[in-house]
Amino acid sequence: MWQVIDGLKIAIDGPSGSGKGTIAAMLGQELGLPVLDTGLLYRFVGWRASEQDIDLNEEDAVLGMLKQSVADMTWKAEGIFFKQAGDEKDCTSQIRDENAAASASKVAAMPQVRTALLDVQRHIAKLGCIMDGRDIGTVVLPDAQAKFFLTASQRERARRRWSQLKAKGEDVDLAYVAAELKARDARDTERDCAPLEKAVDAIHIDSTTMQMDDVVERILNVLERRKLINTK
Ligand code: DC
C-alpha cells in the first residue's frame, strides 16, 4: 500500500512502556520495513553477563565477555539468536524478562559497551529500517530521515508493562513493576553516556491517552508530508 523511499531510516526513542516497541512493529507491518529493537542488544549483554556470574559493576569484564559473545550472536528483526556448543538458539523471549531488563540498564550505562554495540547497529540499519531504543535519534542514527520521541506518564507506562507481563503469564505486582520502571528511568536518563533524550529534530508524541492506532496514523502523516512515503 505504501511506497517507501530507498534506505528510509526511522528512529523511535522513548522510555520503557512508552509504546515504542508496539508502534515500531505496527509501522513495520504497514511499511514493510524491518524493525530492530536495540534494547534486545543490551538485554543480551546483561543476560550473558549474569549467566557467567560477571560482576555488573566491572565494565572491563563485561566488555571482555561481550567481545567474545558477539561473534556467536545474530541480531535481526525476528530477535536475538545465540550459538552455544554449535547450536543456534532463539533467546529473545528469555531476555525479555524483568531480570534481564534490570541487568540491561546497568550494562547500558557503560560507555565501552555502548561503543562496542554502535557498529552492529549502524551496519544493520544501512539498507533502511525502523530502529527503536533510547539513543537512536541522538547517537546511533543521527542522519535518520524521521525521528520520533514517544512518552507516556510513568503511571501509564507501569500499567502497560504490568499487563504485558501478566499476559505472558508472569505473576508480578503492579507496585513492583512501577518501582523497577522508575529505577530504570533514572538510570537511563541520568547516565553520562548517551542518556535517553529527545533529539532536537525529533517529533514528540505523548501517548498517555492515545490509542496505538492513532499514534501510528500520526507518524504516517508526518512521513507522507515529508514525502518519505507515498500511497502506491
Ligand atoms: O527497551 P528495553 O527495555 O528493552 O531496553 C533495555 C535496557 O537497555 C533499558 O534499560 C535501556 C537500555 N537501552 C539503551 O540504553 N539504549 C538503547 N538504544 C536501547 C536500550
Side-chain angles (χ1 to χ4, degrees), residues 20 38-39 42-43 104-105 108 114 133-135 184 188 191:
K20 60 188 187 317
T38 58
Y42 294 95
R43 285 171 178 264
S105 85
R114 302 199 73 87
R134 304 293 191 288
D135 60 341
R184 223 174 325 143
D188 291 343
R191 65 176 178 234

Side-chain angles (χ1 to χ4, degrees), residues 5-13 122 125-126 128-132 135-148 199-203 223 226 228:
I5 63 154
D6 278 347
L8 174 61
K9 290 182 237 166
I10 303 175
I12 304 186
D13 289 302
R122 285 183 178 156
K126 268 189 191 148
C129 66
I130 298 167
M131 191 169 265
D132 78 81
D135 60 341
I136 310 305
T138 48
V139 177
V140 181
L141 304 176
D143 60 336
Q145 296 93 329
K147 301 177 184 178
F148 299 92
V200 280
D201 51 350
I203 294 178
L223 299 176
R226 293 191 186 172
L228 298 170

Side-chain angles (χ1 to χ4, degrees), residues 142-169:
D143 60 336
Q145 296 93 329
K147 301 177 184 178
F148 299 92
F149 192 76
L150 296 189
T151 57
S153 70
Q154 209 166 51
R155 190 189 166 110
E156 171 60 12
R157 291 189 288 114
R159 194 200 57 75
R160 286 179 191 167
R161 184 76 194 123
W162 175 76
S163 12
Q164 267 173 4
L165 292 168
K166 287 283 265 194
K168 279 204 310 189

Side-chain angles (χ1 to χ4, degrees), residues 98-99 101-102 174-187:
E98 288 299 275
N99 287 336
L174 177 59
Y176 171 78
V177 174
E180 283 287 304
L181 187 115
K182 200 169 169 184
R184 223 174 325 143
D185 273 1
R187 277 201 292 268

